[in-house]
Amino acid sequence: MSQVLIQAGTKLLNALGRHSELIMQAYINGTVNEQDYSPKILEQLVQLGVLWRPDPQSELRLKSAVRTLLEGSLQDERNRTINANIGASLASLKTLAEHYKESLHYNKYNEAAAYMSDLTEHVYQLSESLSNSVRVMFSRINNEFGYVSSVDAKIRENELAQGQVTDLLSQLECFRFDELSEIAGSNRELRHLLVVSLQQRFSKAAQELSVVQARLLDLLGRFREFRGRTRLLKGYLLHMEQQPDFVPGNYANLTHVPVLFNQTASIIKPASVDVNSVEHEEDYHSMVASLSHIHKRQGQQEAENKQQDIDVTEQSTVALEKDPLQAAVEEYFCDVIDSGQPKTALTYYQEKALSFDKEVWIYQVIGGYQALADQEKQFFALDPHGENDKTYTGNFYINDITLGLR
């Protein structure tokens, strides 16, 4: 059986190659000019299913399968054919899957392999059909239906494409992946074909079709706008042909401006009530008489300010006592001023036999110097004495401080 198919296919392809010019002329022109070719060749192509005659009086034409093959391979922009029969393809897939499972159950592995081959081919054909349908849509949109010339024809092509997209989207609803998953069961090959592969193609096709639908609506709006402007221009040209002496008037000076030119709302002039107009005096009286009551502003009574006695009592004296440590620092500063010689903080500490902690004493001397005003600080010089840390750089330990006059 397979050998017979191979021979028939080889014969068909050889005929397509030998008579390629005839086939392309029929594809471009729609019919075959039978006077240019021998009847034997034409009869051979008819028997092979390449050409056919719809009725005895009509001319020879290409078979739809051959035309579809050429449109898909050549990516012809005139291709309007969209295969939306997804339901029948899914039914075939389910049937082949059941055949495959039954063959495996009865250990008929040769039949199972054949069914798996057919099932794989059907799945890939369905995926290719979806991809081809989307490609055809995008090719027609990208050139804005350039294969037709008039705007009305473009609108009709757009409406046709929108109908095809709607049909495709409704056909995509035939996919029931829960059913396909149940049919595939635990078989890895079936799950890959019926669930994974088809679901990826389904998601991509649905997303692309939504983009196609949006672009078609946008193009339809543009085409209708072009048609409206074209009709307006044609009407104006026809009017000029019928009335060559027509001169557009100054529509801004007209009392009643045509709607076409009256695009802005009228401006109301500023107005105010003229209370001095005698003819409106009666109207003013009626308006005032209709008021139920008149709110009168009542004067606010100022509250009397009562005199208050001021009780002056002797305030308690607050005495601020200085901290002994702070007082010792001030005496240290005064001693340096009186002597006029620099002196270290620890030297003064030992001379006065102070009882404070040495570290606290040094901190207080530094704080006292920092607390001086800028004018006072410029009279003193404060030099720290110490050593750097032996382990960590940037750390300086202060052992003593020398305070002197500048």
Side-chain angles (χ1 to χ4, degrees), residues 82 84 86 130 134 137 162-176 202 205-214:
I82 301 296
I86 298 176
L130 289 174
V134 175
M137 289 293 182
Q162 287 193 40
Q164 292 174 342
V165 170
T166 303
D167 293 339
L168 274 175
L169 290 174
S170 62
Q171 286 291 322
L172 287 179
E173 296 179 358
C174 296
F175 281 94
R176 296 289 185 270
F202 169 82
Q207 184 178 5
E208 291 175 342
L209 286 175
S210 63
V211 176
V212 168
Q213 201 168 33

Side-chain angles (χ1 to χ4, degrees), residues 61-347:
R61 296 177 177 273
L62 281 179
K63 275 292 190 70
S64 60
V66 180
R67 177 172 290 277
T68 302
L69 173 64
L70 292 175
E71 287 176 347
S73 301
L74 300 176
Q75 297 184 2
D76 191 356
E77 63 181 12
R78 299 177 302 172
N79 182 16
R80 299 171 178 81
T81 304
I82 301 296
N83 184 13
N85 193 10
I86 298 176
S89 300
L90 288 175
S92 300
L93 293 180
K94 295 176 183 178
T95 303
L96 288 173
E98 294 294 342
H99 292 342
Y100 173 74
K101 291 167 62 178
E102 183 182 11
S103 299
L104 286 180
H105 180 71
Y106 291 107
N107 298 326
K108 298 179 180 179
Y109 298 110
N110 292 332
E111 293 183 4
Y115 287 135
M116 175 56 68
S117 178
D118 292 342
L119 182 62
T120 304
E121 186 65 27
H122 277 69
V123 170
Y124 291 154
Q125 283 181 359
L126 180 58
S127 301
E128 184 184 4
S129 175
L130 289 174
S131 301
N132 183 66
S133 300
V134 175
R135 182 194 61 78
V136 170
M137 289 293 182
F138 272 114
S139 65
R140 293 157 68 181
I141 291 174
N142 290 334
N143 61 6
E144 297 183 358
F145 306 100
Y147 46 85
V148 291
S149 57
S150 65
V151 178
D152 291 334
K154 291 180 183 294
I155 292 177
R156 288 192 295 269
E157 288 289 338
N158 189 295
E159 292 173 349
L160 172 64
Q162 287 193 40
Q164 292 174 342
V165 170
T166 303
D167 293 339
L168 274 175
L169 290 174
S170 62
Q171 286 291 322
L172 287 179
E173 296 179 358
C174 296
F175 281 94
R176 296 289 185 270
F177 289 103
D178 52 349
E179 297 180 4
L180 294 176
S181 178
E182 184 178 355
I183 292 174
S186 60
N187 191 285
R188 185 172 61 87
E189 290 81 3
L190 285 180
R191 294 192 68 86
H192 177 74
L193 285 175
L194 299 181
V195 180
V196 178
S197 179
L198 283 181
Q199 196 165 24
Q200 291 177 354
R201 184 62 256 175
F202 169 82
S203 301
K204 186 176 180 181
Q207 184 178 5
E208 291 175 342
L209 286 175
S210 63
V211 176
V212 168
Q213 201 168 33
R215 293 186 61 181
L216 284 174
L217 291 174
D218 181 60
L219 280 178
L220 183 61
R222 290 172 53 191
F223 291 154
R224 287 177 175 173
E225 183 180 0
F226 293 158
R227 183 172 63 180
R229 293 180 179 180
T230 303
R231 288 177 178 177
L232 179 62
L233 182 58
K234 287 182 178 179
Y236 177 73
L237 293 176
L238 180 61
H239 179 73
M240 292 299 296
E241 290 178 359
Q242 295 176 354
Q243 299 181 8
D245 299 333
F246 172 76
V247 177
N250 190 356
Y251 296 102
N253 294 332
L254 296 178
T255 305
H256 300 286
V257 182
V259 180
L260 180 63
F261 301 99
N262 191 14
Q263 299 295 329
T264 59
S266 58
I267 301 175
I268 301 177
K269 296 182 179 180
S272 60
V273 178
D274 186 8
V275 296
N276 298 320
S277 178
V278 179
E279 58 182 5
H280 297 154
E281 185 176 357
E282 185 177 355
D283 297 332
Y284 297 152
H285 283 297
S286 61
M287 292 171 60
V288 174
S290 63
L291 298 177
S292 58
H293 61 278
I294 300 176
H295 294 281
K296 294 183 179 180
R297 183 179 299 175
Q298 298 179 356
Q300 298 180 355
Q301 298 179 357
E302 297 181 358
E304 296 181 357
N305 296 327
K306 297 182 179 180
Q307 296 181 357
Q308 297 180 357
D309 297 334
I310 300 175
D311 185 12
V312 180
T313 59
E314 184 179 357
Q315 302 294 327
S316 60
T317 303
V318 179
L320 298 177
E321 296 182 357
K322 291 187 177 181
D323 184 30
L325 182 59
Q326 184 179 0
V329 171
E330 292 180 357
E331 292 176 358
Y332 172 49
F333 276 76
C334 293
D335 183 73
V336 172
I337 294 173
D338 294 339
S339 64
Q341 299 296 327
K343 183 180 292 187
T344 64
L346 292 181
T347 301

